Amino acid sequence: MKELLTGSEILIRSLIDNGTQCLFGYPGGQIMPVYDKLYDYSDRLRHYLARHEQGAIHAAEGYARATGRTGVVTATSGPGAMNLLTGLADALMDSTPVVAVTGQVGSSMLGKDAFQESDVISSVLPVTKWAVQVRRAEDIAPAVARAFYIANSGRPGPVVIDLARDAQVGTAEYEKLEAPFIRSYDSDPHPAEGALEETARLLNEAERPLILAGHGISISGAQDVLAAIVGKGEIPVACTMLGLSCIPSGHPQYVGMLGMHGNLGPNINTNRADVIVAVGMRFDDRVTGDLTKYAPDARIVHIDIDASEFDKMVKADVHVHCDARKALEAILPMLDEADRREWRESFDRHREVEEERVMARELAVAAPGGKMLMGGVVRKVCEAFDDNAVIVTDVGQNQMFAVKYSRFNLPDSLISSGGLGTMGYGLPAAIGAKIGVPHRDVVLFVGDGGLQMTIEELGMIMEYGIDVKIVLLNNNFLGNVRQWQHLFFNGRFSSTPMTNPDFKMLAAAYGIAGADVADASALDAAIAEMRKCPGAYLLNVNIDETDMVFPMTPGGNGVDEILLDESQYYKPR
Amino acid sequence: MEPQLYTIAVYTENRVSLLHQISMVFSRRCLNIDSMTVSACSIEGVHKFTITCFSTRTMLEHVVRQIEKRIDVIKAFLFTDEEIVYQEVALYKVPTASVVYTEIEDIVRGSGARVLEIHPNYTVFEKTGHTDEIMELFERLKPLGIKQFVRSGRIAVTRSSREMVDEYLLSREARSLMQN
Ligand SMILES: Cc1ncc(C[n+]2csc(CCOP(=O)(O)OP(=O)(O)O)c2C)c(N)n1
């Protein structure tokens, strides 16, 4: 049935008809007609007012990552739209489905430097999967249907709808639209003939196969098939950072995290494997190190839904161009059961060295003088939540320690800015995640630098009563940069020490409970207190600033040239 | 791998901002586009960009995939000169007075150029051909005093007997029918 509605109402109805339950945003002059209509729909479409548009879009990203549904964000023209850019770039890098609606000046004013006009489409094209300007009310519903389809199909990503004022105030007939067919965009490609069979054959013939599991596993919901495959073939599986939690940390075939600060076993054995099957990952430079020294002995299979990833970084012998779940489902019945215990156990030997030479040091909670170490704090907090929480991180050492020492029982449990490494992502993303999965505990690990980049979003926590546990790993330093300055710039700490506010008081000003943990001896009780607290909580933990993340593969090194501490390279037997 | 001149053909929907979306893939990698020609093609509603660029095959294969990734791009292809039939057009404006006193017949015959317009002040020649042929005529006309010269971007069609874009669109149409 068709109804005559204003463009603003069509927008809201189309958002709802495309599955939107809530959105994050910030009003302003050129999106006021939409906000006016939101007022009427507040019972069906909840709007969360962020304190900055960057906060709004990171919240939408967190929501999307926690739920798999498309995150929606609204902003006004000009400054509002420009404040979204960081989040759009972040969402593009990390394949996060987001639809952003920006207000725009009336079409007769476009291109004339009107008040708060900016060229949104040109600005966002490099950081979006798709972007469109809509100038007429009748074009809104088709644009929204297309935007949602594009954002959350194929390799997900951010989409922008730039809504000129005339479209918002004009009228048109509305009826619910289905996802359109787009001939130039194949969201569900079929792999080339024989590619799946070839993959199964390579795996069956392999003596030392290794599966690299990326974000694509959770995006395609392939966790169970992955577990079935690695179990059947006794194939070790390692995760990229964004792949974490796609297989339980305690799974017998799980051998750890890849990358610059990943575990020894998977990094060393990347260069010993005879077959590597990479699923839904893109061979990021943080994962591969020096490409000329990467996986010299391996035949490589690359499974990805995005054809532009093939051979971009690492030349693969087989390309499987399709959805990760579909590929793994097809491979599973062709896979032979196998006994690869010896190969699997070779990872344990590296693990033992790492436990002894790195983890023992990093997991000791107390540093000299009563300050604490991030690794130990992370482990204790995660255990307090039975390893079942959704872990959200900011960027820096806090992120690396959070991903190294969290353990995951449940899927979709890690939310972190991987590709862009956006400081300030954590707090708003945690808020969005909690809104998306209110039944789960959400724990944020954040540094004192990153927290202050979007700290205004404590306002969202206050206003909407969002239960996020914030663990501030506070070293009064931009710790990650400090580590690099210590290792590679002769300890010249240029602009990395920080004079910080009283974070507990700051939280209190927002009505958020909190505690300062000055001494390691008080940590356990403080964590228990936080766990018990029914609402949001800020735990300000006094971290030793000399704390450093290891193992580490410095830039330019091969994936197996790994520092165990600041002076010793790992020499595997 | 040695860099050389490649031709890239991009087939797109007829929407605004495609030029930007295509060119940003080049500028991101600091690649200079050598020439670009855009027009509607024989398939209704489809536009064709013909781009030439001097670089390595590996680099441009990545570029082509990243262009094709854009939602409104239908297909993109990378060609060497051997795989295509290609052409450019150039216009030369010279003083008519100098034309009268030269062995112009020789030049026009030898180069296959055409005279488009003769004005008491100026004469305009047109030549189609490959870049080197066009530049050869440029050199021959130079002594006459060239007032203006312009050379178009390359246009090209493939030597293949298969029409890949048609085949792709047919397969997409079949998929859409299956879905409905
Ligand atoms: C927006 C942004 N600016 C700068 C950086 C570079 N950077 C990466 S980590 C880091 C330090 C982070 O310090 P902090 O938030 O205190 O966390 P820590 O490393 O101490 O855990 C910086 C400045 C970044 N990733 N993002």
Side-chain angles (χ1 to χ4, degrees):
Chain A
M1 193 193 62
K2 291 190 177 182
E3 298 168 76
L4 194 68
L5 303 176
T6 65
S8 295
E9 190 160 7
I10 291 175
L11 173 74
I12 290 164
R13 291 280 288 275
S14 330
L15 290 176
I16 293 170
D17 285 340
N18 279 281
T20 310
Q21 294 164 8
C22 69
L23 66 161
F24 305 87
Y26 211 96
Q30 300 305 342
I31 190 110
M32 282 184 68
V34 170
Y35 271 80
D36 187 58
K37 262 291 159 245
L38 272 174
Y39 202 60
D40 296 333
Y41 279 82
S42 55
D43 57 330
R44 296 165 62 188
L45 187 59
R46 179 130 199 219
H47 178 269
Y48 291 93
L49 177 68
R51 274 24 179 191
H52 187 296
E53 288 86 354
Q54 187 187 353
I57 189 164
H58 290 328
E61 289 182 85
Y63 176 89
R65 292 272 286 274
T67 61
R69 295 197 294 270
T70 303
V72 180
V73 52
T74 46
T76 190
S77 66
M82 293 300 110
N83 276 344
L84 296 178
L85 286 178
T86 309
L88 292 169
D90 191 274
L92 185 68
M93 276 286 212
D94 285 353
S95 315
T96 306
V98 169
V99 169
V101 180
T102 53
Q104 181 57 282
V105 302
S107 45
S108 66
M109 295 300 286
L110 281 165
K112 299 177 184 169
D113 303 319
F115 177 63
Q116 294 195 327
E117 182 201 356
S118 64
D119 184 354
V120 171
I121 297 298
S122 297
S123 307
V124 304
L125 278 175
V127 290
T128 47
K129 187 171 171 188
W130 189 66
V132 67
Q133 187 176 70
V134 177
R135 298 177 176 201
R136 301 183 310 179
E138 59 263 42
D139 296 335
I140 293 177
V144 173
R146 200 174 157 97
F148 274 79
Y149 170 53
I150 291 170
N152 211 349
S153 62
R155 178 173 177 181
V159 169
V160 167
I161 301 174
D162 192 36
L163 205 56
R165 196 180 172 84
D166 0 358
Q168 299 175 42
V169 297
T171 52
E173 288 191 329
Y174 176 71
E175 107 189 286
K176 185 178 169 176
L177 295 179
E178 295 303 318
F181 173 75
I182 304 175
R183 64 175 179 176
S184 58
Y185 169 58
D186 189 355
S187 64
D188 188 19
H190 296 316
E193 215 170 285
L196 290 162
E197 292 75 8
E198 179 68 1
T199 304
R201 190 186 66 78
L202 283 171
L203 277 174
N204 288 336
E205 287 171 9
E207 283 172 18
R208 300 180 308 283
L210 176 61
I211 291 183
L212 312 183
H215 193 190
I217 297 286
S218 75
I219 293 172
S220 70
Q223 293 94 342
D224 54 339
V225 202
L226 175 70
I229 284 198
V230 302
K232 188 176 181 190
E234 270 194 35
I235 304 168
V237 54
C239 285
T240 65
M241 189 177 87
L242 294 194
L244 288 176
S245 83
C246 77
I247 186 144
S249 311
H251 191 285
Q253 296 305 325
Y254 179 61
V255 294
M257 186 178 81
L258 297 160
M260 177 178 268
H261 292 296
N263 296 111
L264 293 180
N267 281 331
I268 294 286
N269 278 350
T270 291
N271 280 6
R272 298 183 173 182
D274 59 357
V275 169
I276 287 179
V277 177
V279 194
M281 59 84 79
R282 60 187 174 84
F283 294 105
D284 181 76
D285 53 281
R286 297 281 134 149
V287 161
T288 61
D290 182 352
L291 285 169
T292 61
K293 300 177 191 162
Y294 185 77
D297 299 337
R299 308 287 305 275
I300 295 177
V301 178
H302 193 176
I303 302 176
D304 207 294
I305 200 159
D306 177 357
S308 77
E309 292 301 346
F310 296 137
D311 301 339
K312 186 185 78 178
M313 304 299 291
V314 169
K315 185 119 185 82
D317 300 280
V318 182
H319 299 159
V320 181
H321 183 208
C322 71
D323 175 76
R325 183 177 176 90
K326 287 192 176 164
L328 296 183
E329 273 177 343
I331 292 164
L332 180 59
M334 294 188 276
L335 191 70
D336 298 339
E337 280 179 35
D339 174 359
R340 298 194 170 94
R341 201 167 319 148
E342 213 175 304
W343 166 236
R344 172 64 189 82
E345 281 168 5
S346 72
F347 290 81
D348 294 339
R349 287 199 295 281
H350 303 300
R351 173 89 192 178
E352 282 154 22
V353 176
E354 190 176 339
E355 279 176 2
E356 190 181 312
R357 303 274 304 275
V358 181
M359 294 184 186
R361 183 175 74 233
E362 293 183 345
L363 281 173
V365 177
K371 288 189 181 183
M372 283 152 276
L373 298 175
M374 292 193 191
V377 175
V378 166
R379 176 55 64 81
K380 274 185 182 288
V381 170
C382 290
E383 278 169 4
F385 288 90
D386 306 319
D387 297 328
N388 287 334
V390 175
I391 302 300
V392 185
T393 83
D394 204 76
V395 168
Q397 290 183 316
N398 61 85
Q399 175 184 37
M400 289 303 116
F401 280 114
V403 297
K404 272 158 54 82
Y405 293 118
S406 298
R407 293 172 50 85
F408 303 101
N409 293 328
L410 302 173
D412 299 322
S413 296
L414 177 78
I415 298 176
S416 186
S417 168
L420 203 66
T422 310
M423 280 174 73
Y425 174 87
L427 179 62
I431 293 169
K434 182 68 191 181
I435 289 168
V437 287
H439 53 284
R440 293 191 65 184
D441 291 315
V442 173
V443 175
L444 166 68
F445 292 104
V446 61
D448 42 308
L451 180 60
Q452 290 181 83
M453 281 207 174
T454 48
I455 198 161
E456 75 286 346
E457 302 310 337
L458 290 176
M460 244 204 287
I461 293 185
M462 171 176 66
E463 180 156 355
Y464 303 106
I466 293 162
D467 176 5
V468 173
K469 307 299 190 218
I470 304 166
V471 180
L472 171 58
L473 300 171
N474 185 356
N475 49 15
N476 296 302
F477 255 97
L478 298 174
N480 204 68
V481 181
R482 186 191 188 282
Q483 173 168 350
W484 284 63
Q485 287 171 334
H486 176 83
L487 294 174
F488 310 119
F489 292 88
N490 298 318
R492 290 151 52 87
F493 299 127
S494 173
S495 294
T496 45
M498 270 200 303
T499 305
N500 278 325
D502 182 330
F503 287 105
K504 189 182 142 198
M505 263 172 76
L506 207 53
Y510 284 93
I512 297 169
D516 292 323
V517 191
D519 193 278
S521 60
L523 182 66
D524 288 340
I527 292 174
E529 186 62 29
M530 172 172 80
R531 175 87 176 86
K532 268 208 324 250
C533 176
Y537 200 90
L538 185 136
L539 197 70
N540 178 25
V541 186
N542 187 13
I543 295 292
D544 178 14
E545 73 272 12
T546 63
D547 198 3
M548 286 197 278
V549 193
F550 288 100
M552 175 177 190
T553 308
N557 280 21
V559 68
D560 57 354
E561 297 168 322
I562 307 171
L563 281 169
L564 292 175
D565 54 43
E566 54 184 287
S567 54
Q568 305 250 354
Y569 271 98
Y570 179 42
K571 295 195 188 65
R573 272 166 292 140
Chain B
M1 211 183 302
E2 283 302 300
Q4 65 173 84
L5 191 75
Y6 285 93
T7 302
I8 294 170
V10 184
Y11 294 83
T12 74
E13 297 294 357
N14 181 15
R15 282 176 171 264
V16 287
S17 87
L18 271 152
L19 177 61
H20 187 146
Q21 296 189 53
I22 292 168
S23 68
M24 75 191 187
V25 179
F26 289 88
S27 52
R28 212 184 147 186
R29 290 174 179 254
C30 207
L31 284 170
N32 212 341
I33 290 175
D34 182 72
S35 80
M36 181 186 277
T37 309
V38 193
S39 66
C41 79
S42 60
I43 308 164
E44 206 182 312
V46 176
H47 269 58
K48 179 174 177 180
F49 290 68
T50 308
I51 302 162
T52 57
C53 184
F54 195 82
S55 186
T56 62
R57 174 173 278 280
T58 318
M59 173 76 95
L60 292 177
E61 277 173 351
H62 294 169
V63 164
V64 162
R65 286 205 182 110
Q66 284 178 332
I67 291 173
E68 206 172 79
K69 180 174 168 175
R70 300 304 304 185
I71 300 291
D72 295 315
V73 171
I74 296 168
K75 274 272 158 206
F77 304 95
L78 180 66
F79 299 117
T80 59
D81 286 358
E82 292 70 44
E83 295 167 296
I84 51 178
V85 177
Y86 56 97
Q87 196 70 308
E88 287 165 12
V89 59
L91 300 177
Y92 313 72
K93 179 178 168 186
V94 296
T96 301
S98 66
V99 173
V100 179
Y101 295 106
T102 341
E103 293 165 347
I104 195 70
E105 185 192 338
D106 214 30
I107 297 178
V108 172
R109 270 184 196 287
S111 64
R114 293 199 302 156
V115 177
L116 285 187
E117 182 166 302
I118 304 174
H119 181 271
N121 285 337
Y122 62 84
T123 299
V124 177
F125 295 98
E126 175 222 73
K127 164 145 186 65
T128 57
H130 289 179
T131 315
D132 50 348
E133 296 164 333
I134 285 167
M135 294 319 290
E136 199 180 300
L137 178 59
F138 180 85
E139 291 303 324
R140 291 199 68 185
L141 291 175
K142 221 175 179 176
L144 280 63
I146 294 177
K147 288 163 157 306
Q148 282 183 42
F149 165 71
V150 64
R151 181 162 67 83
S152 74
R154 174 181 282 196
I155 52 172
V157 292
T158 62
R159 291 211 150 102
S160 159
S161 42
R162 289 176 60 186
E163 300 307 327
M164 302 304 283
V165 183
D166 292 339
E167 285 179 21
Y168 173 79
L169 287 175
L170 278 174
S171 76
R172 293 294 294 150
E173 226 169 89
R175 276 288 281 284
S176 94
L177 291 177
M178 260 163 53
Q179 267 168 30
N180 294 335

